Amino acid sequence: MCADRLENVNPKLFQKCFERDITPEEEDDNIVDEFDSREIFDLIRSINDPEHPLTLEELNVVEQKLVEVNNENNEVRIHFTPTIPHCSMATLIGLSIRVKLLRSLPARFKVLVEITPGTHQSEAAVNKQLADKERVAAALENKNLIGVINQCISV
């Protein structure tokens, strides 16, 4: 987006979490290691914001405490918090999170991405779009949109 069209010209920045040390047990392919919220957070924290040269972690859009993992039911639920309540990029951010996780996690996982309750004016509409498999699939067939998403999730 052009600098003169930014919705949030001066976003508040937050401190990044420290990188997690990998233990020898985590690198052993013979040990079953279930996914946890930190591991999922590590996958999405470096996604780039579509408007700013900052990550979703730096903008506090994603936080580890808003990541839920249920290994028994093969579910991952992410809540994300747009930087402003009228953010027009909320759906794009949600799609970027969803695509990153779908590409990174085993196919057995159901990925749910939602706006943190009470943080966006169009929360219900955006959540409905992100939960609709057909709408997501159609969005990902759009070459321009998938190009923007790929830019956001490239590290």
Coordinates of all heavy atoms in Angstrom, one line a residue, residues 7-51:
E7 N -3.6 3.1 6.7 CA -4.7 3.3 7.7 C -4.1 3.7 9.1 O -4.7 4.4 9.8 CB -5.5 2.1 7.8 CG -6.4 1.8 6.6 CD -7.3 0.6 6.7 OE1 -7.3 0.0 7.8 OE2 -7.9 0.3 5.7
N8 N -3.0 3.0 9.4 CA -2.4 3.2 10.7 C -1.0 3.7 10.5 O 0.0 2.9 10.4 CB -2.4 1.9 11.5 CG -1.9 2.0 12.9 OD1 -1.6 3.2 13.4 ND2 -1.9 1.0 13.7
V9 N -0.9 5.0 10.4 CA 0.4 5.6 10.0 C 1.5 5.4 11.0 O 2.6 5.3 10.6 CB 0.2 7.2 9.7 CG1 1.4 7.8 9.3 CG2 -0.9 7.4 8.7
N10 N 1.2 5.4 12.3 CA 2.2 5.3 13.3 C 1.8 4.2 14.3 O 1.4 4.4 15.4 CB 2.3 6.7 14.0 CG 3.5 6.7 14.9 OD1 4.4 6.0 14.8 ND2 3.4 7.7 15.9
P11 N 2.0 2.9 13.9 CA 1.6 1.8 14.7 C 2.5 1.7 15.9 O 3.7 2.0 15.9 CB 1.8 0.6 13.8 CG 2.8 1.0 12.9 CD 2.6 2.5 12.6
K12 N 2.0 1.2 17.0 CA 2.7 1.0 18.2 C 3.6 -0.3 18.1 O 3.0 -1.3 17.6 CB 1.8 0.8 19.4 CG 2.5 0.7 20.7 CD 1.5 0.6 21.9 CE 2.3 0.4 23.2 NZ 1.3 0.3 24.3
L13 N 4.8 -0.2 18.4 CA 5.7 -1.4 18.3 C 5.9 -2.1 19.6 O 5.9 -1.5 20.7 CB 7.1 -1.0 17.8 CG 7.1 -0.4 16.4 CD1 8.5 0.0 16.0 CD2 6.5 -1.3 15.3
F14 N 6.0 -3.4 19.6 CA 6.2 -4.2 20.8 C 7.5 -5.0 20.7 O 8.0 -5.3 19.6 CB 5.0 -5.2 20.9 CG 3.7 -4.5 21.2 CD1 3.0 -3.9 20.1 CD2 3.2 -4.4 22.4 CE1 1.8 -3.3 20.3 CE2 2.0 -3.7 22.7 CZ 1.3 -3.1 21.6
Q15 N 8.0 -5.4 21.8 CA 9.2 -6.2 21.9 C 9.0 -7.6 21.4 O 8.0 -8.2 21.8 CB 9.8 -6.2 23.3 CG 11.1 -6.8 23.4 CD 11.8 -6.7 24.8 OE1 11.2 -6.0 25.6 NE2 12.9 -7.3 25.0
K16 N 9.9 -8.2 20.7 CA 9.8 -9.5 20.2 C 10.1 -10.5 21.3 O 10.9 -10.2 22.2 CB 10.7 -9.8 19.0 CG 10.4 -9.1 17.8 CD 11.5 -9.2 16.8 CE 11.1 -9.8 15.5 NZ 12.1 -10.0 14.5
C17 N 9.6 -11.7 21.3 CA 9.9 -12.8 22.2 C 11.3 -13.3 21.9 O 11.8 -13.1 20.7 CB 9.0 -14.0 22.1 SG 7.3 -13.6 22.6
F18 N 12.0 -13.9 22.8 CA 13.3 -14.5 22.6 C 13.1 -15.7 21.7 O 12.0 -16.4 21.8 CB 14.0 -14.8 23.9 CG 14.4 -13.6 24.7 CD1 13.7 -13.2 25.8 CD2 15.5 -12.8 24.3 CE1 14.0 -12.0 26.5 CE2 15.8 -11.7 25.0 CZ 15.1 -11.3 26.1
E19 N 14.1 -16.0 20.9 CA 14.0 -17.3 20.2 C 14.1 -18.4 21.2 O 14.8 -18.4 22.2 CB 15.2 -17.4 19.2 CG 15.2 -16.3 18.1 CD 14.1 -16.5 17.2 OE1 13.7 -17.7 16.9 OE2 13.5 -15.5 16.7
R20 N 13.4 -19.5 20.8 CA 13.3 -20.7 21.7 C 14.5 -21.6 21.4 O 14.8 -21.8 20.2 CB 12.0 -21.4 21.4 CG 11.8 -22.6 22.3 CD 10.4 -23.1 22.2 NE 10.2 -23.7 21.0 CZ 9.2 -24.6 20.8 NH1 8.4 -25.0 21.8 NH2 9.0 -25.2 19.6
D21 N 15.1 -22.1 22.5 CA 16.2 -23.0 22.3 C 15.6 -24.4 21.9 O 14.7 -24.8 22.5 CB 17.0 -23.2 23.6 CG 17.8 -21.9 23.9 OD1 18.2 -21.2 23.0 OD2 18.0 -21.6 25.1
I22 N 16.3 -25.0 20.9 CA 15.8 -26.4 20.5 C 16.6 -27.4 21.4 O 17.8 -27.4 21.4 CB 16.1 -26.6 19.0 CG1 15.5 -25.5 18.2 CG2 15.7 -28.0 18.6 CD1 14.0 -25.5 18.2
T23 N 15.9 -28.3 22.0 CA 16.5 -29.3 22.8 C 16.8 -30.5 22.0 O 16.2 -30.7 20.9 CB 15.6 -29.7 24.0 OG1 14.4 -30.3 23.4 CG2 15.2 -28.6 24.8
P24 N 17.8 -31.3 22.4 CA 18.1 -32.5 21.6 C 16.9 -33.5 21.4 O 16.8 -34.1 20.4 CB 19.2 -33.2 22.5 CG 19.8 -32.1 23.3 CD 18.7 -31.1 23.5
E25 N 16.0 -33.5 22.4 CA 14.8 -34.3 22.3 C 14.0 -33.9 21.1 O 13.3 -34.7 20.4 CB 14.0 -34.4 23.6 CG 14.7 -35.0 24.7 CD 15.7 -34.1 25.4 OE1 15.6 -32.9 25.3 OE2 16.6 -34.6 26.1
E26 N 13.9 -32.6 20.9 CA 13.0 -32.1 19.8 C 13.6 -32.4 18.4 O 12.9 -32.4 17.5 CB 12.9 -30.5 20.0 CG 12.1 -30.1 21.2 CD 12.0 -28.6 21.4 OE1 13.1 -28.0 21.4 OE2 10.9 -28.1 21.5
E27 N 14.9 -32.6 18.4 CA 15.5 -32.9 17.1 C 15.5 -34.4 16.8 O 15.9 -34.9 15.7 CB 16.9 -32.3 17.0 CG 16.9 -30.8 16.9 CD 18.2 -30.2 16.6 OE1 19.2 -30.9 16.7 OE2 18.3 -29.0 16.3
D28 N 15.2 -35.3 17.8 CA 15.2 -36.7 17.7 C 13.9 -37.1 17.0 O 12.8 -37.0 17.5 CB 15.3 -37.4 19.0 CG 15.5 -38.9 19.0 OD1 15.3 -39.5 17.9 OD2 15.9 -39.5 20.0
D29 N 14.1 -37.7 15.7 CA 12.9 -38.1 15.0 C 12.2 -39.3 15.5 O 11.1 -39.7 15.1 CB 13.3 -38.3 13.5 CG 13.7 -37.1 12.8 OD1 13.2 -36.0 13.2 OD2 14.5 -37.2 11.8
N30 N 12.8 -40.0 16.5 CA 12.2 -41.2 17.0 C 11.3 -40.9 18.2 O 10.6 -41.8 18.7 CB 13.3 -42.2 17.5 CG 14.2 -42.6 16.3 OD1 13.6 -42.9 15.2 ND2 15.5 -42.7 16.5
I31 N 11.3 -39.7 18.7 CA 10.5 -39.3 19.8 C 9.3 -38.5 19.3 O 9.4 -37.6 18.5 CB 11.3 -38.4 20.8 CG1 12.4 -39.2 21.4 CG2 10.4 -37.8 21.9 CD1 13.3 -38.3 22.3
V32 N 8.1 -38.9 19.7 CA 6.8 -38.2 19.3 C 6.8 -36.9 20.2 O 6.8 -36.9 21.4 CB 5.6 -39.0 19.6 CG1 4.3 -38.2 19.3 CG2 5.7 -40.3 18.8
D33 N 6.8 -35.8 19.5 CA 6.8 -34.5 20.1 C 5.5 -33.7 19.6 O 5.4 -33.4 18.5 CB 8.0 -33.7 19.7 CG 8.1 -32.3 20.3 OD1 7.5 -32.1 21.4 OD2 8.7 -31.4 19.7
E34 N 4.5 -33.6 20.5 CA 3.3 -32.9 20.2 C 3.5 -31.4 20.0 O 4.4 -30.8 20.5 CB 2.2 -33.2 21.3 CG 1.8 -34.6 21.3 CD 0.6 -34.8 22.1 OE1 0.2 -33.9 22.9 OE2 -0.1 -35.8 21.9
F35 N 2.7 -30.8 19.1 CA 2.7 -29.4 18.9 C 2.3 -28.7 20.1 O 1.3 -29.1 20.8 CB 1.9 -29.0 17.7 CG 2.4 -29.4 16.4 CD1 2.1 -30.7 15.9 CD2 3.3 -28.6 15.7 CE1 2.7 -31.1 14.6 CE2 3.8 -29.0 14.5 CZ 3.5 -30.2 14.0
D36 N 2.9 -27.5 20.4 CA 2.4 -26.7 21.5 C 2.2 -25.2 21.0 O 2.6 -24.9 19.9 CB 3.4 -26.7 22.7 CG 4.8 -26.2 22.4 OD1 5.0 -25.6 21.3 OD2 5.7 -26.4 23.2
S37 N 1.7 -24.4 21.8 CA 1.4 -23.0 21.4 C 2.6 -22.2 21.0 O 2.5 -21.4 20.0 CB 0.6 -22.3 22.5 OG 1.4 -22.1 23.7
R38 N 3.7 -22.5 21.6 CA 4.9 -21.8 21.3 C 5.4 -22.2 19.9 O 5.9 -21.3 19.1 CB 6.0 -22.0 22.3 CG 7.4 -21.3 22.0 CD 7.2 -19.8 21.8 NE 8.3 -19.1 21.2 CZ 9.1 -18.3 21.8 NH1 9.0 -18.0 23.1 NH2 10.2 -17.8 21.2
E39 N 5.3 -23.4 19.6 CA 5.8 -23.9 18.3 C 4.9 -23.3 17.2 O 5.4 -22.9 16.1 CB 5.7 -25.4 18.2 CG 6.3 -26.0 17.0 CD 6.5 -27.5 17.1 OE1 6.1 -28.1 18.1 OE2 7.1 -28.1 16.2
I40 N 3.6 -23.2 17.4 CA 2.7 -22.6 16.4 C 3.0 -21.1 16.3 O 3.0 -20.6 15.2 CB 1.2 -22.9 16.8 CG1 0.9 -24.4 16.9 CG2 0.3 -22.2 15.8 CD1 1.2 -25.2 15.6
F41 N 3.1 -20.5 17.5 CA 3.5 -19.0 17.5 C 4.7 -18.8 16.7 O 4.8 -17.8 15.9 CB 3.6 -18.5 18.9 CG 4.0 -17.1 19.0 CD1 3.2 -16.1 18.6 CD2 5.3 -16.8 19.5 CE1 3.6 -14.8 18.7 CE2 5.7 -15.5 19.6 CZ 4.9 -14.4 19.2
D42 N 5.7 -19.6 16.8 CA 7.0 -19.4 16.1 C 6.8 -19.5 14.6 O 7.5 -18.9 13.8 CB 8.0 -20.5 16.5 CG 8.6 -20.2 17.9 OD1 8.5 -19.0 18.4 OD2 9.3 -21.1 18.5
L43 N 5.8 -20.3 14.2 CA 5.5 -20.3 12.7 C 4.9 -19.1 12.2 O 5.1 -18.7 11.0 CB 4.5 -21.5 12.4 CG 5.1 -22.9 12.6 CD1 4.0 -23.9 12.5 CD2 6.2 -23.2 11.6
I44 N 4.1 -18.4 13.0 CA 3.4 -17.2 12.5 C 3.9 -15.9 12.9 O 3.6 -14.8 12.3 CB 1.9 -17.3 12.9 CG1 1.7 -17.2 14.4 CG2 1.2 -18.5 12.3 CD1 0.2 -17.1 14.9
R45 N 4.8 -15.8 13.9 CA 5.3 -14.6 14.4 C 6.1 -13.7 13.4 O 6.1 -12.5 13.5 CB 6.2 -14.8 15.6 CG 7.5 -15.5 15.3 CD 8.2 -16.1 16.5 NE 8.9 -15.0 17.2 CZ 9.9 -15.2 18.1 NH1 10.2 -16.4 18.4 NH2 10.4 -14.1 18.6
S46 N 6.7 -14.4 12.4 CA 7.5 -13.6 11.4 C 6.7 -13.2 10.2 O 7.3 -12.7 9.2 CB 8.7 -14.5 11.1 OG 8.3 -15.7 10.5
I47 N 5.4 -13.5 10.1 CA 4.6 -13.1 9.0 C 4.7 -11.5 8.9 O 4.6 -10.8 9.9 CB 3.2 -13.5 9.1 CG1 3.1 -15.1 9.1 CG2 2.3 -12.9 8.0 CD1 1.7 -15.6 9.3
N48 N 4.9 -11.0 7.7 CA 5.0 -9.6 7.5 C 3.6 -8.9 7.5 O 2.7 -9.5 6.9 CB 5.7 -9.3 6.2 CG 7.2 -9.7 6.3 OD1 7.9 -9.4 7.2 ND2 7.6 -10.5 5.3
D49 N 3.5 -7.8 8.0 CA 2.2 -7.0 7.9 C 2.1 -6.5 6.5 O 3.1 -6.1 5.9 CB 2.3 -5.8 8.9 CG 1.1 -4.9 8.9 OD1 0.1 -5.4 9.5 OD2 1.1 -3.9 8.2
P50 N 0.9 -6.5 5.9 CA 0.8 -6.0 4.5 C 1.0 -4.5 4.3 O 1.3 -4.1 3.2 CB -0.7 -6.4 4.2 CG -1.3 -6.9 5.4 CD -0.3 -7.0 6.5
E51 N 0.9 -3.7 5.4 CA 1.0 -2.3 5.2 C 2.4 -1.8 5.7 O 2.9 -0.7 5.2 CB 0.0 -1.5 6.1 CG -1.4 -1.5 5.5 CD -2.3 -0.5 6.3 OE1 -2.3 -0.6 7.5 OE2 -2.9 0.3 5.6

